[in-house]
Each structure stands twice: as C-alpha cells, then as structure tokens.
Coordinates of all heavy atoms in Angstrom, one line a residue:
I190 N 4.9 40.2 100.7 CA 3.6 40.9 100.9 C 3.7 42.3 101.2 O 4.8 42.8 101.6 CB 2.7 40.2 101.9 CG1 3.4 40.4 103.3 CG2 2.6 38.7 101.6 CD1 2.5 39.9 104.5
S191 N 2.7 43.0 101.0 CA 2.8 44.6 101.1 C 2.6 44.8 102.6 O 2.0 44.0 103.4 CB 1.6 45.3 100.3 OG 0.4 44.8 100.8
A192 N 2.8 46.1 103.0 CA 2.5 46.5 104.3 C 1.0 46.5 104.6 O 0.6 46.2 105.8 CB 3.0 47.9 104.6
F193 N 0.2 46.7 103.6 CA -1.2 46.7 103.8 C -1.7 45.4 104.2 O -2.5 45.1 105.0 CB -1.9 47.2 102.4 CG -3.4 47.2 102.5 CD1 -4.1 48.2 103.2 CD2 -4.1 46.1 102.0 CE1 -5.4 48.1 103.2 CE2 -5.5 46.1 102.0 CZ -6.2 47.2 102.6
V194 N -1.2 44.4 103.4 CA -1.6 42.9 103.7 C -1.1 42.4 105.1 O -1.9 41.8 105.8 CB -1.1 42.0 102.7 CG1 -1.3 40.5 103.0 CG2 -1.8 42.3 101.3
A195 N 0.1 42.9 105.5 CA 0.7 42.5 106.8 C -0.3 43.2 107.9 O -0.6 42.4 108.9 CB 2.1 43.1 107.0
R196 N -0.7 44.3 107.7 CA -1.6 45.0 108.7 C -2.9 44.3 108.7 O -3.4 44.1 109.9 CB -1.6 46.5 108.1 CG -2.3 47.4 109.2 CD -2.2 48.8 108.7 NE -2.6 49.8 109.7 CZ -2.6 51.0 109.5 NH1 -2.1 51.5 108.4 NH2 -3.0 51.8 110.6
Q197 N -3.5 43.9 107.6 CA -4.7 43.3 107.5 C -4.6 41.9 108.4 O -5.5 41.6 109.1 CB -5.2 42.9 106.2 CG -5.7 44.0 105.4 CD -6.2 43.6 103.9 OE1 -5.4 42.9 103.2 NE2 -7.3 44.0 103.5
K198 N -3.5 41.1 108.2 CA -3.3 39.8 108.9 C -3.3 40.1 110.4 O -3.9 39.3 111.1 CB -2.1 39.2 108.3 CG -2.2 38.7 106.9 CD -0.9 38.0 106.5 CE -1.0 37.3 105.2 NZ -1.6 36.0 105.2
V199 N -2.7 41.1 110.7 CA -2.6 41.3 112.2 C -3.9 41.7 112.7 O -4.3 41.4 113.9 CB -1.4 42.4 112.5 CG1 -1.5 42.8 114.0 CG2 -0.1 41.8 112.2
N200 N -4.6 42.7 111.9 CA -5.9 43.0 112.4 C -6.9 41.8 112.5 O -7.6 41.7 113.6 CB -6.6 43.9 111.4 CG -6.2 45.5 111.6 OD1 -5.9 45.9 112.8 ND2 -6.2 46.2 110.6
V201 N -6.9 40.8 111.6 CA -7.7 39.6 111.7 C -7.3 38.8 112.9 O -8.1 38.3 113.8 CB -7.6 38.7 110.5 CG1 -8.2 37.5 110.7 CG2 -8.2 39.5 109.3
L202 N -6.0 38.7 113.3 CA -5.5 37.9 114.4 C -6.0 38.5 115.7 O -6.5 37.8 116.5 CB -4.0 37.9 114.4 CG -3.3 37.2 115.6 CD1 -3.7 35.8 115.8 CD2 -1.9 37.4 115.6
M203 N -5.9 39.9 115.8 CA -6.3 40.5 117.1 C -7.8 40.5 117.2 O -8.3 40.2 118.3 CB -5.9 42.1 116.9 CG -4.4 42.2 117.2 SD -3.6 41.6 118.6 CE -2.7 40.3 118.0
L204 N -8.5 40.6 116.2 CA -10.0 40.5 116.2 C -10.4 39.1 116.7 O -11.3 38.9 117.6 CB -10.6 40.8 114.9 CG -12.2 40.7 114.7 CD1 -12.8 41.7 115.8 CD2 -12.6 40.8 113.3
E205 N -9.8 38.1 116.1 CA -10.2 36.7 116.5 C -9.7 36.2 117.7 O -10.4 35.4 118.4 CB -9.7 35.7 115.3 CG -10.5 36.0 114.0 CD -10.0 35.1 112.9 OE1 -8.9 34.4 113.1 OE2 -10.7 35.1 111.9
Q206 N -8.4 36.8 118.2 CA -7.9 36.1 119.4 C -7.8 37.0 120.6 O -7.7 36.5 121.7 CB -6.5 35.6 119.0 CG -6.3 34.7 117.9 CD -6.7 33.4 118.3 OE1 -6.5 32.9 119.5 NE2 -7.4 32.6 117.4
V207 N -7.9 38.3 120.5 CA -7.8 39.2 121.7 C -8.9 40.2 121.8 O -9.6 40.0 122.8 CB -6.5 40.0 121.5 CG1 -6.2 40.8 122.8 CG2 -5.3 39.1 121.3
S208 N -9.1 41.0 121.0 CA -10.2 42.1 121.2 C -10.5 42.8 119.9 O -9.7 43.1 119.1 CB -9.8 43.1 122.3 OG -10.7 44.2 122.4
N209 N -11.7 43.2 119.7 CA -12.1 44.1 118.6 C -11.7 45.6 118.9 O -12.0 46.3 117.9 CB -13.6 44.0 118.3 CG -14.5 44.6 119.5 OD1 -14.1 44.6 120.6 ND2 -15.7 45.0 119.0
L210 N -11.2 45.9 119.9 CA -10.8 47.3 120.2 C -9.2 47.6 119.8 O -8.8 48.6 120.0 CB -10.9 47.6 121.6 CG -12.4 47.6 122.2 CD1 -12.3 47.8 123.8 CD2 -13.1 48.7 121.5
L211 N -8.7 46.6 119.1 CA -7.2 46.6 118.7 C -7.1 46.8 117.2 O -7.9 46.2 116.4 CB -6.5 45.4 119.1 CG -6.5 45.0 120.6 CD1 -5.8 43.7 121.0 CD2 -5.8 46.2 121.4
L212 N -6.2 47.7 116.9 CA -6.0 48.0 115.4 C -4.5 47.9 115.2 O -3.6 48.3 116.0 CB -6.4 49.3 115.1 CG -7.9 49.5 115.0 CD1 -8.2 51.1 114.9 CD2 -8.6 48.8 114.0
A213 N -4.1 47.3 114.1 CA -2.7 47.2 113.5 C -2.3 48.6 113.2 O -3.0 49.3 112.4 CB -2.6 46.1 112.4
G214 N -1.0 49.0 113.6 CA -0.6 50.3 113.2 C 0.3 50.2 112.0 O 0.2 49.2 111.2
E215 N 1.1 51.2 111.7 CA 2.0 51.3 110.4 C 3.1 50.3 110.6 O 4.0 50.4 111.5 CB 2.4 52.6 110.3 CG 3.0 52.9 108.9 CD 1.9 52.7 107.9 OE1 0.8 53.1 107.9 OE2 2.4 52.2 106.7
P216 N 3.1 49.2 109.7 CA 4.2 48.3 109.6 C 5.6 48.9 109.2 O 5.6 49.9 108.5 CB 3.6 47.3 108.6 CG 2.4 47.5 108.5 CD 2.2 48.9 108.7
V217 N 6.6 48.3 110.0 CA 7.9 48.7 109.5 C 8.7 47.5 109.0 O 8.7 46.5 109.6 CB 8.8 49.2 110.8 CG1 10.1 49.5 110.5 CG2 8.0 50.4 111.4
L218 N 9.3 47.6 107.9 CA 9.9 46.4 107.2 C 11.4 46.5 107.8 O 12.2 47.5 107.8 CB 10.0 46.7 105.7 CG 10.6 45.7 104.8 CD1 9.8 44.3 104.9 CD2 10.7 46.0 103.3
E219 N 11.8 45.3 108.1 CA 13.1 45.1 108.8 C 13.7 43.8 108.2 O 13.0 42.8 107.8 CB 13.0 44.9 110.3 CG 12.5 45.9 111.0 CD 12.3 45.6 112.5 OE1 12.3 44.4 113.0 OE2 12.4 46.6 113.3
Q220 N 15.1 43.8 108.2 CA 15.8 42.6 107.7 C 16.4 42.0 109.0 O 16.9 42.6 109.8 CB 16.9 43.0 106.7 CG 17.5 41.6 106.2 CD 18.5 42.0 104.9 OE1 19.1 43.1 104.9 NE2 18.7 41.1 104.0
T221 N 16.1 40.7 109.1 CA 16.6 39.9 110.2 C 18.1 39.6 110.1 O 18.7 39.8 108.9 CB 15.9 38.6 110.4 OG1 16.3 37.7 109.3 CG2 14.4 38.7 110.5
S222 N 18.7 39.1 111.1 CA 20.1 38.9 111.0 C 20.4 37.7 110.1 O 21.5 37.6 109.5 CB 20.7 38.5 112.3 OG 20.0 37.4 112.9
G223 N 19.4 36.9 109.9 CA 19.6 35.7 109.0 C 19.2 36.2 107.4 O 19.3 35.3 106.6
G224 N 19.0 37.5 107.2 CA 18.7 37.9 105.9 C 17.3 37.9 105.4 O 17.0 38.2 104.2
H225 N 16.4 37.5 106.2 CA 15.0 37.4 105.9 C 14.3 38.8 106.1 O 14.8 39.5 107.0 CB 14.3 36.3 106.7 CG 14.8 35.1 106.4 ND1 14.6 34.2 105.4 CD2 15.6 34.2 107.3 CE1 15.2 33.1 105.4 NE2 15.9 33.1 106.6
W226 N 13.3 39.1 105.4 CA 12.6 40.3 105.6 C 11.3 40.1 106.4 O 10.7 39.1 106.2 CB 12.2 40.9 104.3 CG 13.5 41.5 103.7 CD1 14.3 40.8 102.6 CD2 14.1 42.8 103.8 NE1 15.3 41.7 102.3 CE2 15.2 42.8 103.0 CE3 13.8 43.9 104.7 CZ2 16.0 43.9 103.0 CZ3 14.6 44.9 104.6 CH2 15.7 44.9 103.8
R227 N 11.0 41.0 107.3 CA 9.7 40.9 108.1 C 9.1 42.2 108.3 O 9.8 43.2 108.3 CB 10.0 40.2 109.4 CG 10.9 41.1 110.4 CD 11.1 40.5 111.6 NE 12.1 41.3 112.5 CZ 12.9 40.8 113.4 NH1 12.8 39.6 113.7 NH2 13.7 41.7 114.0
W228 N 7.9 42.2 108.5 CA 7.1 43.4 108.8 C 7.0 43.3 110.4 O 6.5 42.3 110.9 CB 5.7 43.5 108.2 CG 5.8 43.7 106.8 CD1 5.5 42.7 105.8 CD2 6.0 44.9 106.1 NE1 5.6 43.3 104.6 CE2 6.0 44.7 104.8 CE3 6.3 46.2 106.5 CZ2 6.1 45.6 103.7 CZ3 6.5 47.2 105.5 CH2 6.4 46.9 104.3
R229 N 7.3 44.4 111.1 CA 7.1 44.6 112.6 C 5.9 45.5 112.6 O 5.9 46.7 112.2 CB 8.2 45.1 113.2 CG 8.1 45.3 114.8 CD 9.3 45.7 115.4 NE 10.4 44.6 115.3 CZ 10.5 43.6 116.1 NH1 9.6 43.3 117.1 NH2 11.6 42.8 115.9
V230 N 4.8 44.9 113.1 CA 3.4 45.6 113.1 C 3.0 45.9 114.5 O 2.8 45.1 115.3 CB 2.3 44.8 112.5 CG1 1.1 45.6 112.4 CG2 2.8 44.4 111.1
P231 N 3.0 47.3 114.8 CA 2.4 47.6 116.3 C 0.9 47.3 116.3 O 0.1 47.4 115.4 CB 2.8 49.1 116.3 CG 2.9 49.5 114.9 CD 3.3 48.3 114.1
V232 N 0.5 47.0 117.5 CA -0.8 46.8 117.8 C -1.3 48.0 118.8 O -0.8 48.1 119.9 CB -1.1 45.4 118.5 CG1 -2.5 45.2 118.9 CG2 -0.6 44.4 117.5
D233 N -2.3 48.6 118.5 CA -2.8 49.8 119.2 C -4.1 49.4 119.8 O -5.0 48.9 119.2 CB -3.0 51.0 118.3 CG -1.6 51.5 117.8 OD1 -0.6 51.3 118.5 OD2 -1.5 52.0 116.7
L234 N -4.3 50.0 121.1 CA -5.6 50.0 121.7 C -6.3 51.2 121.4 O -5.8 52.3 121.5 CB -5.5 49.8 123.3 CG -6.7 49.8 124.1 CD1 -7.7 48.7 123.7 CD2 -6.4 49.8 125.6
T235 N -7.6 51.0 121.0 CA -8.4 52.2 120.8 C -9.8 52.1 121.4 O -10.3 50.9 121.6 CB -8.8 52.4 119.2 OG1 -9.5 51.4 118.8 CG2 -7.5 52.6 118.4
F236 N -10.5 53.2 121.9 CA -11.8 53.2 122.4 C -12.7 54.1 121.6 O -12.1 55.2 121.2 CB -11.8 53.7 123.8 CG -11.3 52.7 124.8 CD1 -10.4 53.1 125.8 CD2 -11.8 51.4 124.8 CE1 -9.8 52.2 126.7 CE2 -11.3 50.4 125.9 CZ -10.3 50.8 126.7
P237 N -13.9 53.8 121.3 CA -14.7 54.7 120.5 C -14.9 56.0 121.2 O -15.0 57.1 120.5 CB -16.1 53.9 120.4 CG -15.8 52.4 120.7 CD -14.5 52.5 121.6
T238 N -14.9 56.0 122.5 CA -15.1 57.4 123.2 C -13.8 58.1 123.5 O -13.8 59.2 123.8 CB -15.7 57.1 124.5 OG1 -15.0 56.2 125.3 CG2 -17.2 56.6 124.4
H239 N -12.6 57.4 123.3 CA -11.4 58.0 123.7 C -10.3 58.2 122.4 O -9.3 58.8 122.5 CB -10.7 57.3 124.8 CG -11.3 57.4 126.2 ND1 -12.4 56.7 126.5 CD2 -10.9 58.3 127.1 CE1 -12.8 57.1 127.7 NE2 -11.8 58.0 128.2
G240 N -10.6 57.3 121.4 CA -9.7 57.3 120.2 C -8.6 56.4 120.6 O -8.7 55.5 121.4
W241 N -7.3 56.8 120.2 CA -6.1 56.0 120.3 C -5.8 56.2 121.8 O -5.6 57.2 122.4 CB -5.1 56.5 119.5 CG -3.8 55.7 119.5 CD1 -3.5 54.7 118.9 CD2 -2.7 56.1 120.4 NE1 -2.1 54.2 119.3 CE2 -1.7 55.1 120.3 CE3 -2.3 57.1 121.3 CZ2 -0.4 55.1 120.8 CZ3 -1.1 57.1 121.9 CH2 -0.2 56.1 121.7
V242 N -5.5 54.9 122.5 CA -5.1 54.9 123.8 C -3.6 54.6 124.0 O -3.0 55.2 124.7 CB -5.9 53.8 124.7 CG1 -5.5 53.6 126.0 CG2 -7.4 54.1 124.6
G243 N -3.2 53.7 123.2 CA -1.7 53.3 123.3 C -1.3 52.1 122.6 O -2.2 51.2 122.3
C244 N 0.0 51.9 122.5 CA 0.5 50.6 121.9 C 0.5 49.6 122.9 O 1.0 49.8 124.0 CB 1.9 50.9 121.2 SG 2.6 49.4 120.4
V245 N 0.0 48.3 122.5 CA -0.1 47.3 123.5 C 0.9 46.0 123.0 O 0.9 45.1 123.8 CB -1.4 46.7 123.7 CG1 -2.3 47.8 124.4 CG2 -2.1 46.3 122.4
G246 N 1.6 46.3 122.0 CA 2.6 45.2 121.6 C 2.9 45.3 120.1 O 2.4 46.2 119.4
E247 N 3.7 44.2 119.6 CA 4.0 44.2 118.2 C 3.9 42.7 117.8 O 4.1 41.8 118.6 CB 5.5 44.6 118.0 CG 5.7 46.1 118.2 CD 7.1 46.5 117.9 OE1 8.0 45.6 118.0 OE2 7.4 47.6 117.6
V248 N 3.6 42.6 116.4 CA 3.5 41.2 116.0 C 4.2 41.3 114.6 O 4.4 42.2 113.9 CB 2.1 40.9 115.5 CG1 1.9 39.5 114.9 CG2 1.1 40.9 116.8
E249 N 5.1 40.2 114.5 CA 5.9 40.1 113.2 C 5.2 39.4 112.2 O 4.6 38.3 112.5 CB 7.3 39.5 113.5 CG 8.1 40.3 114.6 CD 9.3 39.7 114.9 OE1 9.7 38.5 114.4 OE2 10.1 40.3 115.6
V250 N 5.3 39.7 111.0 CA 4.8 39.1 109.8 C 5.9 38.9 108.7 O 6.5 39.9 108.4 CB 3.6 39.9 109.2 CG1 3.1 39.1 108.0 CG2 2.5 40.2 110.1
D251 N 6.1 37.6 108.3 CA 7.1 37.3 107.2 C 6.7 38.1 105.9 O 5.6 37.9 105.4 CB 7.1 35.8 107.0 CG 8.1 35.5 106.1 OD1 7.9 35.7 104.8 OD2 9.2 34.9 106.5
A252 N 7.6 38.9 105.6 CA 7.4 39.8 104.3 C 7.3 39.0 103.0 O 6.8 39.6 102.1 CB 8.4 40.9 104.2
R253 N 7.9 37.9 103.0 CA 7.8 37.1 101.8 C 6.7 36.2 101.7 O 6.0 36.1 100.6 CB 9.1 36.2 101.6 CG 9.2 35.4 100.3 CD 10.6 34.9 100.2 NE 10.7 34.3 98.8 CZ 11.6 33.6 98.4 NH1 12.7 33.4 99.2 NH2 11.6 33.0 97.2
Y254 N 6.3 35.5 102.8 CA 5.3 34.4 102.7 C 4.0 34.9 103.5 O 3.1 34.2 103.3 CB 5.8 33.0 103.3 CG 7.0 32.6 102.4 CD1 8.3 32.5 103.0 CD2 6.8 32.1 101.2 CE1 9.3 32.1 102.4 CE2 7.9 31.6 100.5 CZ 9.2 31.6 101.0 OH 10.1 31.1 100.3
G255 N 4.0 36.0 104.3 CA 2.9 36.4 104.9 C 2.5 35.7 106.2 O 1.5 35.8 106.7
E256 N 3.4 34.8 106.6 CA 3.1 34.1 107.9 C 3.3 35.0 109.1 O 4.2 35.8 109.3 CB 4.2 33.0 108.1 CG 4.0 32.1 109.3 CD 5.0 31.0 109.5 OE1 5.8 30.7 108.6 OE2 5.0 30.5 110.6
V257 N 2.2 35.0 110.0 CA 2.2 35.8 111.2 C 2.8 35.0 112.3 O 2.5 33.9 112.6 CB 0.6 36.1 111.6 CG1 0.6 37.1 112.8 CG2 -0.1 36.7 110.4
H258 N 3.7 35.7 112.9 CA 4.6 35.0 114.0 C 4.0 35.4 115.3 O 4.2 36.6 115.8 CB 6.1 35.2 113.9 CG 6.7 34.9 112.6 ND1 7.0 33.5 112.5 CD2 6.9 35.4 111.4 CE1 7.6 33.4 111.2 NE2 7.4 34.6 110.6
Y259 N 3.4 34.4 116.0 CA 2.9 34.7 117.3 C 2.7 33.4 118.1 O 2.8 32.4 117.5 CB 1.5 35.5 117.3 CG 0.4 34.6 116.8 CD1 -0.5 33.9 117.8 CD2 0.0 34.3 115.5 CE1 -1.4 33.0 117.3 CE2 -1.0 33.4 115.1 CZ -1.7 32.8 116.0 OH -2.6 32.0 115.5
D260 N 2.6 33.6 119.4 CA 2.3 32.3 120.2 C 1.4 32.7 121.3 O 1.0 34.0 121.5 CB 3.6 31.7 120.8 CG 4.5 32.6 121.5 OD1 3.8 33.7 122.0 OD2 5.6 32.3 121.7
D261 N 0.9 31.9 122.1 CA 0.0 32.1 123.3 C 0.6 33.2 124.2 O -0.1 34.0 124.7 CB -0.4 30.9 124.0 CG -1.4 30.0 123.2 OD1 -1.9 30.5 122.2 OD2 -1.4 28.8 123.5
A262 N 1.8 33.1 124.4 CA 2.4 34.0 125.4 C 2.4 35.4 124.9 O 2.2 36.4 125.6 CB 4.0 33.6 125.6
L263 N 2.8 35.7 123.5 CA 2.5 36.9 123.1 C 1.0 37.5 123.1 O 0.9 38.5 123.5 CB 3.0 37.0 121.5 CG 2.8 38.3 120.8 CD1 3.6 39.5 121.4 CD2 3.0 38.2 119.3
L264 N 0.1 36.7 122.8 CA -1.3 37.1 122.9 C -1.7 37.4 124.3 O -2.3 38.3 124.5 CB -2.2 36.0 122.3 CG -2.0 35.6 120.8 CD1 -3.0 34.6 120.4 CD2 -2.3 36.9 119.9
A265 N -1.1 36.7 125.3 CA -1.4 36.9 126.7 C -0.8 38.2 127.1 O -1.3 39.0 127.9 CB -0.8 35.8 127.5
R266 N 0.5 38.5 126.7 CA 1.2 39.8 127.0 C 0.3 41.0 126.4 O 0.2 42.0 127.1 CB 2.6 39.8 126.5 CG 3.5 39.1 127.3 CD 5.0 39.3 126.9 NE 5.3 39.2 125.6 CZ 5.7 38.0 124.9 NH1 5.8 36.9 125.7 NH2 6.0 38.1 123.7
I267 N -0.1 40.9 125.3 CA -0.9 41.8 124.6 C -2.3 42.0 125.4 O -2.6 43.2 125.8 CB -1.2 41.5 123.1 CG1 0.0 41.7 122.4 CG2 -2.3 42.5 122.6 CD1 0.0 41.3 120.9
A268 N -2.9 41.0 125.7 CA -4.1 41.0 126.5 C -3.9 41.8 127.9 O -4.8 42.5 128.3 CB -4.8 39.7 126.7
D269 N -2.8 41.3 128.5 CA -2.6 41.9 129.9 C -2.3 43.5 129.7 O -2.7 44.2 130.5 CB -1.2 41.3 130.5 CG -1.5 39.9 131.0 OD1 -2.7 39.5 131.0 OD2 -0.5 39.2 131.2
E270 N -1.5 43.9 128.6 CA -1.3 45.3 128.5 C -2.6 46.0 128.1 O -2.9 47.2 128.5 CB -0.3 45.4 127.3 CG 0.1 46.9 127.1 CD 0.9 47.6 128.2 OE1 1.2 46.8 129.2 OE2 1.0 48.8 128.3
V271 N -3.6 45.4 127.4 CA -4.8 46.0 127.1 C -5.6 46.2 128.4 O -6.2 47.3 128.6 CB -5.8 45.0 126.2 CG1 -7.1 45.5 126.2 CG2 -5.1 45.0 124.8
K272 N -5.6 45.2 129.3 CA -6.3 45.3 130.6 C -5.7 46.5 131.4 O -6.4 47.4 132.0 CB -6.2 44.1 131.4 CG -7.1 43.0 130.9 CD -6.8 41.6 131.6 CE -7.5 40.5 130.9 NZ -7.1 39.3 131.4
R273 N -4.3 46.6 131.4 CA -3.7 47.7 132.1 C -4.0 49.0 131.6 O -4.4 50.0 132.4 CB -2.0 47.5 132.2 CG -1.3 48.4 133.0 CD 0.1 48.3 132.8 NE 0.6 48.9 131.6 CZ 0.6 50.2 131.4 NH1 0.3 51.1 132.2 NH2 1.0 50.6 130.2
L274 N -3.9 49.2 130.3 CA -4.2 50.5 129.7 C -5.8 50.9 129.8 O -5.9 52.0 130.0 CB -3.8 50.5 128.2 CG -2.3 50.9 127.9 CD1 -2.1 50.9 126.4 CD2 -2.0 52.2 128.5
A275 N -6.5 49.9 129.7 CA -7.9 50.1 129.7 C -8.3 50.7 131.2 O -9.1 51.6 131.3 CB -8.8 48.9 129.4
Q276 N -7.8 49.9 132.2 CA -7.9 50.3 133.5 C -7.5 51.8 133.8 O -8.1 52.6 134.4 CB -7.3 49.3 134.5 CG -7.5 49.6 136.0 CD -8.8 49.4 136.5 OE1 -9.6 48.6 135.9 NE2 -9.3 50.0 137.5
Q277 N -6.3 52.0 133.3 CA -5.7 53.3 133.5 C -6.5 54.4 132.8 O -6.6 55.5 133.3 CB -4.3 53.3 132.9 CG -3.5 54.6 133.0 CD -2.1 54.4 132.4 OE1 -1.4 53.3 132.5 NE2 -1.6 55.5 131.9
T278 N -7.0 54.2 131.7 CA -7.8 55.2 130.8 C -9.2 55.3 131.4 O -9.6 56.6 131.5 CB -7.8 54.7 129.4 OG1 -6.4 54.5 128.8 CG2 -8.5 55.8 128.6
L279 N -9.8 54.2 131.6 CA -11.2 54.3 132.1 C -11.5 54.6 133.6 O -12.4 55.2 134.0 CB -12.0 53.1 131.7 CG -11.9 52.6 130.3 CD1 -12.6 51.3 130.1 CD2 -12.7 53.7 129.5
H280 N -10.5 54.4 134.3 CA -10.5 54.5 135.8 C -9.2 55.1 136.3 O -8.5 54.6 137.1 CB -10.8 53.2 136.6 CG -12.1 52.6 136.1 ND1 -13.3 53.0 136.4 CD2 -12.2 51.4 135.4 CE1 -14.2 52.2 135.8 NE2 -13.4 51.3 135.2
P281 N -8.8 56.5 135.9 CA -7.6 57.0 136.4 C -7.6 57.2 137.9 O -8.5 57.5 138.5 CB -7.5 58.3 135.5 CG -8.9 58.7 135.1 CD -9.6 57.3 135.1
A282 N -6.4 57.1 138.4 CA -6.2 57.3 139.9 C -6.5 58.8 140.2 O -6.3 59.7 139.5 CB -4.7 57.0 140.3
S283 N -7.2 58.9 141.3 CA -7.6 60.2 141.8 C -6.3 61.1 142.3 O -5.5 60.5 142.9 CB -8.5 60.1 142.8 OG -9.6 59.5 142.4

C-alpha cells in the first residue's frame, strides 16, 4: 500500500478510537528483521487554536497488506500522551 493509504488508515483509527485532534504524520517505510515491509506512521496532536502541538506516538501499518498494528495498550499510551501535552499546552506552569 502507499504511504497515503497508510496515513489514511491511521487517521481513521485515531478518529474512531482516540480523538479527532490527532493527525497521522509522514509515514516512513522500514524493513523488519524478518524481511517484511511496514510503514511507521507518527501520530501528531493538533489544536485549532495552536496548530501542531507534538508527536504523541507511532502506529505501524503492514506495507503489503495494509493491516494496522495496534492494541489497547498502544491506544492508552497515545491517549495518555495527548492528555499530558494538552495540559502542558493549554495550562502551562507559571
């Protein structure tokens, strides 16, 4: 699958499972030690009033079949990082 399709798949996952404030970044194509190809797709937090806030994680997508590799633990880590960055951005320490 193309980088564009990998990015779309991650955007749908984030929208459905975590937050509509998350956008997939530019995918990087990598070969695993087993010889398989995967897209490593960064996930960025954005705010309408602040723009790009920061990267909150990465999701892997199989480059051949398009399977998105994630589990509940990964989604929880991303959600936790969203909360941390949002708090830091919206309520910075004095």
